[in-house]
Each structure stands twice: as structure tokens, then as C-alpha cells.
Amino acid sequence: MRKPIIAGNWKMYKLVAESVATALALRPLVANANHCEVIIAPPFTSLKTVADRLEGSNIKVAGQNCSTELKHGAHTGEIAADMLRDVGCTHVIIGHSERRHLYAETDSMVNHKTQAALAAGLTVILCVGETLAQREAGHAEPVVRGQLEGGLRGLTSNDLARIIVAYEPVWAIGTGHTATPEQAQEMHAFIRRVFAERHNEDAAEVLRILYGGSVKPDNVVGLMEQTDLDGALVGGASLDAETFAQIVHFNL
Ligand code: PGA
């Protein structure tokens, strides 16, 4: 039985006061959500304050990125994975398509970040997903396979317990074009097969695979009905506490 995860990615939105207000509004709204794990990923500047204010709640806090380097050093502008741990994060999003496409992150960088995050004791939400051109050219599966294999290179089966995969087709992010539940299911089943081939059936069976890309209260139910869909990574609709809480309560 895979426990669902509903994660909110706030991206580069919200000053500290807005972050705290949203987190505190969300806290009571999801306090009885025992059917799933709830995670929010505020911007770096809000992490510590938000994590402190959520102490004792059922909401976990994630970073949106971390450095490829775990060892502290002269890396201006970077944030090491253990710095995220230090301010109260349990999770980190790695390889989001905005990082891959706007900041030229490669699979090798994603792999180094993943290794650093695991070494710091964080759970990784590894994002994969094809562009529209790649899908139209019939390359969606090889692209996603390459991102998975590249991102997870060198990981042990112990490490896999702290990996969550988020399938986020680039053409569905922030566009209002959600993948249909069937399209999502097809890719999620493929991801689980790749895991079973590369690692083992047991690891594949317990792997949680989230869908991301224009998830809203009105489409989450159809998505969550799919066998291999274990949750959602929500961008725009996570910025408002009530809307996000409705997604968390997809089961009601
Ligand atoms: P969206 O973003 O829900 O606004 O499409 C999802 C994401 O980028 O994680």
C-alpha cells in the first residue's frame, strides 16, 4: 500500500509574511488528512520561518533545489542539502523542468544533487518529464527513461527508499493543459517498469510516483483514481491554502 503524497511547489512566490500566512492557514485545513502526506516547498528565504511555525503539524517542508556540492565551500549563491535539513526541511525537489530548461540543469547535475540530498538525510522528489516536441516526436518514454537513469545513477537499493518520482510533462506545467488521467497512468506505469528493470520489483512496487502539471481541485480525483498515480506535485494551485487543502482532501 503506497501512501499518497500531495506536495505544493510555491516556486518563486511569496515573501516571508505571505509564506507564514499561507502555511498557518493551511495547517488546520489539513490537520485531519491522515490518508496522505502533505508537503509544501516555500522559497529558500521562507523555509526556516515556515518550518518553525509548522512544528508539530502534519505538514512537511521541502526545498525547491539544492547544490550539487554537499561539502561547504566557496560556491556563491548555492545552498547545500544539509543547510536545508538544518532549517527544518525533510524533502527537496530536484530536477524540476524549470531548473532543467531555464537553468540548464543536466541529468548529471541532477544526479549529484540527488546524491548530496540523500547524504544529508533528505528525501528527494525527483522530477522528470518530456516537452511537447519530444512527445509529438514519439520520444516521451526514452526521454523520461534517460532522466530517470541519469538522475538515479549509482544509487543503492537503500537510497531508493528515499526517492519519490514526480512525472511532470513540461507541456502541462502552468499551461492549464493537464495530461489526461490515461496519459498520466501510461507514463506512471512505464516509470514503475523502468524501476523494476533497473532495480527490482519490490523497489518498484513501493515507489511513489506523483503527477504534476496543472493539477487543480476539479481534476485531481480523476488523476488519483489511476493505479500508478500516488499523488500530486502542485504548482499554481498550491499558492492558496484553501485550494491546496481541497486537493489534499481529494478522497472526500
Ligand atoms: P502547475 O506547476 O501546477 O502550476 O502546473 C506544477 C509544477 O511545476 O510543479
Side-chain angles (χ1 to χ4, degrees):
M1 191 45 194
R2 299 183 291 266
K3 188 165 189 176
I5 297 171
I6 304 292
N9 171 12
W10 291 1
K11 307 192 180 186
M12 199 174 78
Y13 291 103
K14 297 188 189 289
L15 303 179
V16 175
E18 298 168 289
S19 299
V20 169
T22 307
L24 292 183
L26 184 64
R27 187 176 175 150
L29 296 177
V30 300
N32 62 351
N34 301 317
H35 63 287
C36 70
E37 288 183 40
V38 182
I39 303 172
I40 55 172
F44 286 133
T45 44
S46 298
L47 284 174
K48 167 116 181 82
T49 321
V50 166
D52 285 351
R53 301 298 293 269
L54 290 178
E55 228 179 281
S57 78
N58 59 337
I59 306 173
K60 294 175 184 141
V61 176
Q64 298 175 15
N65 182 27
C66 70
S67 175
T68 53
E69 309 296 322
L70 183 57
K71 196 167 171 298
H72 298 179
H75 298 284
T76 303
E78 291 291 287
I79 309 268
D82 68 343
M83 295 173 176
L84 295 179
R85 262 295 279 239
D86 186 44
V87 294
C89 292
T90 50
H91 292 69
V92 59
I93 298 171
I94 293 181
H96 189 278
S97 69
E98 285 151 17
R99 305 267 353 139
R100 293 177 188 266
H101 296 286
L102 302 175
Y103 299 96
E105 267 186 26
T106 61
D107 286 330
S108 160
M109 289 161 76
V110 168
N111 181 243
H112 284 110
K113 290 178 179 206
T114 301
Q115 305 260 13
L118 292 170
L122 294 169
T123 295
V124 172
I125 303 175
L126 172 72
C127 301
V128 297
E130 80 287 358
T131 62
L132 184 58
Q134 289 165 333
R135 174 162 280 258
E136 286 178 347
H139 298 154
E141 289 191 352
V143 165
V144 168
R145 177 189 284 276
Q147 290 171 339
L148 281 174
E149 292 179 350
L152 300 175
R153 185 158 295 133
L155 264 57
T156 66
S157 30
N158 257 358
D159 294 333
L160 295 181
R162 279 189 291 123
I163 297 289
I164 296 160
V165 172
Y167 168 57
E168 300 205 302
V170 178
W171 46 273
I173 298 178
T175 59
H177 299 297
T178 333
T180 63
E182 295 72 25
Q183 281 173 320
Q185 165 57 25
E186 206 179 328
M187 187 59 86
H188 282 227
F190 173 74
I191 291 169
R192 208 177 296 288
R193 278 204 304 283
V194 170
F195 241 71
E197 273 168 36
R198 303 297 298 185
H199 304 289
N200 58 64
E201 292 283 349
D202 291 347
E205 189 48 42
V206 297
L207 173 71
R208 283 170 304 171
I209 310 172
L210 316 184
Y211 168 79
S214 300
V215 175
K216 304 272 180 308
D218 61 5
N219 59 25
V220 66
V221 176
L223 289 161
M224 290 304 293
E225 278 168 5
Q226 305 303 311
T227 326
D228 288 293
L229 224 132
D230 308 309
L233 181 53
V234 185
S238 73
L239 295 172
D240 175 70
E242 292 205 359
T243 310
F244 185 60
Q246 283 176 40
I247 297 176
V248 168
H249 291 292
F250 66 88
N251 62 323
L252 296 182

